[in-house]
Amino acid sequence: MADCDVFWRSPLIILSNTFHHYPMNSSISSIFADFFKDEILRGKAEKLMDKLQEGSICLPLTVQEYQKLLDSPFVGVGNVKKPFIVEKGNLYLQRYYEYETQIIGRIKALVEQKNEAFANALLQKMDLVKQLFVSDASEVDWQLVAAVSAVINNFSIISGGPGTGKTTTVSKIIVLLNSINPELKVALAAPTGKAAMRMKESIANSVANMAIDLSLKEKLSAIVPLTIHRLLGYVKDSPYFRHNATNPLDYDLLIIDEASMIDVPQMAKLLDATRDSSKLILLGDKNQLASVEAGSVFSDLCETVQIANTFSSDFIHFFNKIVSVFNTQLNQTQQTNEKHFLNTSIVELQRSRRFDATKGIGLFSKYVIEGNSEQLQHWQGGKVAEQEGVDICNGLPQVKDEIKEYRHYILEPDIKKALSLTQKLRLLCATKEGEFGLYQCNKYAEMVLKEAGVLQPKPGFYENQLIMVSANDYTLNLFNGDVGIVRRDANTQTLYAYFEDANAENGLKFVPTIYLKNFETAFAMTIHKSQGSEFDTVIVVLPQRENLVLTRELLYTAVTRAKKKVKLIANKTVLNHTVKGQVQRSSGITKRIVEWL
C-alpha cells in the first residue's frame, strides 16, 4: 500500500479534498487527472472534474467502465477511504460521495423520528385546523396536506411555483405547532439575505390576517431571518461551521426557503447540524435553477416521488381523519405503492394565486418548463402578448420606457421608500459578458437614465447608484445578493450605501462606500442572482446567439421573478434553443433513496 500512502500525501489529493471551496479550471482538472498512470482512471477522473465544474456531483458509468475501475487501487465501493468511490453506476470523488451519503442518512434519521404525540395532538386541534384552512369541496387543499405532513414528520418538503402559498402554508404550520408546544423555537433561513428577508415579510403578512392571539403574532414577528451561513455559524477563513453534529442548532423548527439554491456541501452541513428531534421544512420550486455550485439536491429529493402528491395508505387514513371537518378527502388515486422513506414527506402546491395558468405569465412559464417551443411562438406577435403580461421584443431600445421607471426610486428622498421602489423593476441577464450581457445592460441602463436627466454615472460609486453585494462580508454584516442604493450625506458629502435591515430600528443599514470591497452595479443582475427576489416588472435579456448556459430552467426562473409584467428580449432561434435546453446534473440521491434497503 506504499503507493496509496504516497497518493494520500500528494498535494493533488489535498486539492481534491478542498477544491469545492474554490473555483476549478480545466488546467487544474487536467493536472489532477494526469497524476494517474491508469488510462481508464485518468480519463474518467478528468471527465469527473469537468462534471463537477458543470454542477454534477458524480459521473455516470457504463457497466464495463464500472467493472474496470474496480481494479484500480484508488477506487473503492461504499464508505471506504479511497480517493474515488463507485456506487450504483456512478463515479465520485470521495468527499462528494460522503456528502451525498450524509444527506441521505440524515434525512432518513429525521424521517424515522415519527412522534405519535404530534399526530395525537393534531387530532385535538380540529377547531384550529378549521379556522386556518378554508376548504374547497371541489378539490384537495394541498396546503392543508403539506401542513399535516410537516406537523407529523420531522422532515418535509413543500414545493410549488410562485404564488402557490408556500410561506402562507408554513405560517399556518408554525401556528399549529405553537399551539401544541407554546415554547416552540423557530428559525427562518435562506441561502441569501434577500430571500430570508422576503420570507419573513411574507410570513408576517400571512400572520397579520390570521385570527390568532396578539402575543403569538408578536412572537412570530420577532423571529430574525438568517442566511444559512449565519444560521450555522460562519467561521472566518474556514470551510467549517460552529454548529454541527456535536453542536447542533437549538431550534424545534427550522424553515429553509429557496432550498433549490442549496448546493451539496451546504445541504450536508445543514442536515448535520439539525437534531433528530427537530423539524426541518425545505421550501422551494423544483422547476427553478439549481444551485450555482455542485448539486441539485432539492429537485433530486422531489424526483424520488414518481407521481406528485401520492402518499402511503397510513398517511391518507390519518389525513382523512383531520379533514373530517371538511368535505374533501384524499382517495385511492393519491395512494402510492412506493416504499422509500420520503413517500409521505413531499407535497407539491399546485394552485397559483398569483398567475392564471391559462394566460399571461402563468401560461408562458408553463410552456417554458414543458419545453413547448411551438406554443411560445404565439407570443411573438406583440399586441396579444402585451395584454397577457408577456411581451417579446428584439432589442434594448424597445425597453427604454421601462428602464426610465427607475427614476421613481432615484427621485424619492425617503431612503426606505426608495429601496422599496427598487423592487418595481429589474433587468435579468443570462450571461455576464458579451452583447446583451450583464455589464452591457448596466451600462445601457445608466445611459438611458443619464439621458433622462436623473442620473450622473461615473466609475466607482456615485449618487443614486443601485448596487449589489457580490461576496459575503461578515464584518459589515452584508451578504452576497444584498441590494442597496448609494446616497450622499448632505452635511459631510460622504457617500453611503443603504440596505434594508428588518432588525434595525428604522429598517435601514448604511455603510460608507469606502468600506465596500465586493459590489457591482445592479440595474441589471444575472438570473442566478435574482433567485429569492420578486419584482413587479422584469426585463429578461437573452444573448443573440445560442449559448450552453441557456436552459428552460433559466428562463422559467427569470420569468417567474415577475409579479405583473415580463419583457423578454430574445430572437426566435435563441428562444427555441433555450426552451429545448435542460439542466443536466448527475447525482445518485434520487436512485439511492428509492432503492434504499
Side-chain angles (χ1 to χ4, degrees), residues 447-484:
M447 181 196 74
V448 170
L449 294 169
K450 182 178 181 180
E451 289 178 351
V454 295
L455 198 71
Q456 293 297 321
K458 63 180 183 179
F461 292 102
Y462 57 85
E463 179 87 0
N464 288 312
Q465 183 181 14
L466 187 62
I467 65 169
M468 173 185 283
V469 176
S470 57
N472 293 339
D473 189 326
Y474 292 91
T475 304
L476 298 176
N477 201 30
L478 291 173
F479 301 94
N480 190 357
D482 286 353
V483 173

Side-chain angles (χ1 to χ4, degrees), residues 331-484:
N331 55 48
Q332 287 187 341
T333 63
Q334 279 93 38
Q335 185 170 326
T336 180
N337 293 321
E338 295 180 56
K339 301 298 183 183
H340 63 78
F341 53 82
L342 284 182
N343 65 358
T344 64
S345 297
I346 303 172
V347 180
E348 182 177 341
L349 305 183
Q350 299 177 331
R351 179 185 173 191
S352 176
R353 274 77 172 172
R354 183 183 306 166
F355 300 133
D356 185 334
T358 65
K359 63 182 180 180
I361 296 172
L363 184 59
F364 189 90
S365 60
K366 176 177 177 287
Y367 286 150
V368 168
I369 211 63
E370 289 176 350
N372 195 334
S373 58
E374 182 178 346
Q375 288 292 338
L376 287 178
Q377 299 314 310
H378 295 311
W379 264 267
Q380 295 278 38
K383 291 183 179 179
V384 174
E386 289 177 1
Q387 291 173 359
E388 294 184 343
V390 180
D391 184 19
I392 298 179
C393 47
N394 293 319
L396 287 169
Q398 296 179 40
V399 295
K400 266 191 174 183
D401 288 343
E402 281 78 11
I403 292 173
K404 289 177 183 177
E405 292 300 300
Y406 276 126
R407 70 181 183 276
H408 293 300
Y409 94 79
I410 294 172
L411 298 176
E412 172 56 58
D414 185 286
I415 295 174
K416 191 173 180 180
K417 289 181 181 178
L419 279 167
S420 177
L421 290 171
T422 65
Q423 301 304 301
K424 296 287 186 181
L425 170 72
R426 196 71 87 246
L427 281 80
L428 303 181
C429 303
T431 60
K432 285 190 173 183
E433 305 281 355
E435 186 181 18
F436 289 5
L438 173 74
Y439 304 127
Q440 187 198 54
C441 286
N442 268 316
K443 288 180 180 178
Y444 186 79
E446 289 176 324
M447 181 196 74
V448 170
L449 294 169
K450 182 178 181 180
E451 289 178 351
V454 295
L455 198 71
Q456 293 297 321
K458 63 180 183 179
F461 292 102
Y462 57 85
E463 179 87 0
N464 288 312
Q465 183 181 14
L466 187 62
I467 65 169
M468 173 185 283
V469 176
S470 57
N472 293 339
D473 189 326
Y474 292 91
T475 304
L476 298 176
N477 201 30
L478 291 173
F479 301 94
N480 190 357
D482 286 353
V483 173

Side-chain angles (χ1 to χ4, degrees), residues 17-31:
N17 283 334
T18 58
F19 85 94
H20 63 281
H21 299 295
Y22 307 96
M24 292 289 291
N25 56 48
S26 57
S27 61
I28 294 177
S29 299
S30 178
I31 293 169

Side-chain angles (χ1 to χ4, degrees), residues 435 542-547 550 571 574 577:
E435 186 181 18
L542 301 185
Q544 294 298 288
R545 297 179 180 83
E546 296 178 6
N547 190 307
L550 298 176
N571 61 51
V574 169
H577 167 79

